Amino acid sequence: MSRTEFMQGNAACAEGALAAGCRFFGGYPITPSTEIAETMARRLPKAGGVFISMEDELASIAAVIGAAWTGARAMTATSGPGFSLMMENIGYAAMTETPCVVVNIQRGGPSTGQPTRAAQGDMLQCRFGSHGDYSTIALTPNSVQEMFDLTVKAFDLADRFRVPTFLMSDEIVGHMRERVTIPDAVEVERPRPLAEGSLPFEAGDDGVPGFAPFGSGRAVHVTGLTHDERGYPDTTDPEAHDKLVRRLVAKIESARRDIADYEVVNPDAETVFVTYGPPSRTVEQVMRDRPDDSIGHLRLRVVWPFPEFALKVFPNARTFLMPELNMGQMVREVQRHVDQPVISIPKIGGELHTPAELVRVLEVYR
């Protein structure tokens, strides 16, 4: 059974988190993500969870990491400046293999920028923002329904791969209102428990260790230092560091086909739009207005790890067009993986591309 409601994107994100079993939210209010915190503050205690407003974003992500190690599904929500403050502890979460969800309702930057306007300027930051080598997972909704659905999915991916997982939305989707179908219950995938006799950071065949939260009866040492399979620091051995970091990267990159989530329209097309998030809505409008099998569309719901194999779905492609609400970030990934021309269609300032703007570019490159 399910119910249908008319709600804001940020509220749908909070409802998705609750449906996924989130029982801890640690955050700090920041435009345009604040409605997520407001909804969780109102709803989470009634679900038996804990909401805490921290003194800043550094403390928020630290609290989320701590809560995750008690076995709770934990999340935070923020926007650009707060996201920047979280980066050191996001690296700590990657190193300690802490499953948690970070929602970024992106706004115009840099610095304080445009608090009430949309952007997609943090797409490289969510992949490379913390120092060192690691891999992450990032999802990009383009509707209020996907704010619900992909929030649920983010929790499952975080637990499955023991990795901080990002929902990279923006002011447009966060603040729009649409119909949302909310199921009475959703299936959730919790971390694989640590097998009896296994060391705390001894990985399975998939590169992911079992999880033994605090209070489970297992002694687990957790550190951001390079560590061995016991969890104890081993910072001077090059082989130990090489083995650990390569595993942290490989557990995500080796599963990129399994993690991938994308939508293909007109695979035989010669001119192909590649999108994620709200620019895909403009492309969909263009394709409704100008039905033409020679125009294709690849919409990414998961951008990291980047699914380069999805580009091969268009064997006749002669040109790729990529509209983004930034000066050209994910377009670099497309350019790395294809031989055809890849045309960036950047837009900053807080407004979404119009159909007319994309049609003008389309007519030049067809």
Side-chain angles (χ1 to χ4, degrees):
M1 297 292 291
S2 63
R3 69 184 192 277
T4 299
E5 296 192 15
F6 187 72
M7 66 172 59
Q8 186 191 65
N10 282 344
C13 174
E15 292 295 333
L18 291 164
C22 176
R23 291 301 177 262
F24 183 89
F25 183 100
Y28 184 83
I30 183 171
T31 304
S33 74
T34 303
E35 295 87 356
I36 299 174
E38 291 173 343
T39 305
M40 294 298 277
R42 186 172 60 252
R43 298 269 283 110
L44 192 54
K46 296 177 182 178
V50 175
F51 173 93
I52 182 166
S53 184
M54 302 299 291
E55 63 268 30
D56 54 34
E57 290 87 354
L58 288 85
S60 299
I61 186 63
V64 166
I65 292 169
W69 273 97
T70 71
R73 280 194 154 181
M75 74 174 291
T76 188
T78 189
S79 190
F83 197 52
S84 295
L85 290 174
M86 293 182 181
M87 281 299 133
E88 181 180 0
N89 268 333
I90 285 172
Y92 179 83
M95 186 62 138
T96 57
E97 300 181 77
T98 303
C100 57
V101 171
V102 178
V103 180
N104 182 354
I105 308 298
Q106 296 169 88
R107 70 194 217 186
S111 189
T112 311
Q114 295 179 293
T116 62
R117 307 297 282 180
Q120 294 178 310
D122 307 344
M123 300 309 300
L124 295 181
Q125 187 180 20
C126 74
R127 174 63 182 82
F128 301 106
S130 197
H131 57 282
D133 293 301
Y134 61 101
S135 286
T136 59
I137 300 173
L139 302 90
T140 51
N142 84 337
S143 67
V144 177
Q145 182 67 58
E146 287 192 351
M147 286 289 278
F148 179 92
D149 295 340
L150 295 189
T151 298
V152 173
K153 185 170 185 172
F155 277 100
D156 285 347
L157 290 169
D159 277 357
R160 177 181 171 186
F161 292 98
R162 286 191 58 179
V163 66
T165 299
F166 302 102
L167 186 77
M168 299 296 291
S169 189
D170 60 275
E171 186 277 334
I172 291 173
V173 178
H175 283 162
M176 71 167 59
R177 294 177 184 271
E178 293 179 321
R179 287 193 303 271
V180 182
T181 300
I182 300 176
D184 292 339
V186 299
E187 294 184 9
V188 298
E189 182 174 347
R190 295 311 314 268
R192 181 175 62 244
L194 184 64
E196 197 66 38
S198 296
L199 295 173
F201 291 91
E202 182 181 347
D205 293 338
D206 58 0
V208 183
F211 190 50
F214 297 156
S216 63
R218 302 291 296 272
V220 180
H221 187 271
V222 181
T223 177
L225 292 167
T226 296
H227 48 272
D228 58 22
E229 291 181 339
R230 301 171 299 168
Y232 293 133
D234 191 1
T235 62
T236 59
D237 184 350
E239 292 185 4
H241 185 81
D242 182 273
K243 179 182 178 182
L244 172 61
V245 174
R246 288 185 184 279
R247 180 178 65 76
L248 295 179
V249 171
K251 71 177 181 179
I252 305 300
E253 300 301 323
S254 65
R256 57 199 307 115
R257 289 185 178 273
D258 195 22
I259 298 170
D261 186 357
Y262 55 87
E263 181 180 281
V264 173
V265 178
N266 294 341
D268 294 326
E270 296 182 351
T271 305
V272 179
F273 284 101
V274 182
T275 66
Y276 58 93
S280 65
R281 297 174 71 102
T282 308
V283 172
E284 289 166 357
Q285 184 63 53
V286 169
M287 296 182 73
R288 283 194 294 268
D289 294 343
R290 299 165 61 100
D292 186 340
D293 290 344
S294 70
I295 303 171
H297 187 195
L298 172 63
R299 180 169 78 89
L300 305 178
R301 282 184 287 259
V302 171
V303 294
W304 298 115
F306 186 77
E308 75 284 348
F309 43 84
L311 299 167
K312 307 303 181 184
V313 174
F314 300 91
N316 301 325
R318 299 175 61 183
T319 307
F320 291 94
L321 307 177
M322 192 159 192
E324 298 182 82
L325 297 180
N326 55 49
M327 293 186 69
Q329 293 194 12
M330 296 305 298
V331 69
R332 301 167 187 264
E333 285 297 301
V334 180
Q335 290 168 339
R336 283 201 317 130
H337 294 294
V338 299
D339 297 324
Q340 302 94 323
V342 180
I343 310 303
S344 178
I345 313 175
K347 188 167 186 178
I348 57 175
E351 294 185 345
L352 187 59
H353 303 78
T354 66
E357 289 171 336
L358 295 189
V359 167
R360 282 196 293 270
V361 177
L362 182 63
E363 290 176 343
V364 170
Y365 290 99
R366 286 190 64 187

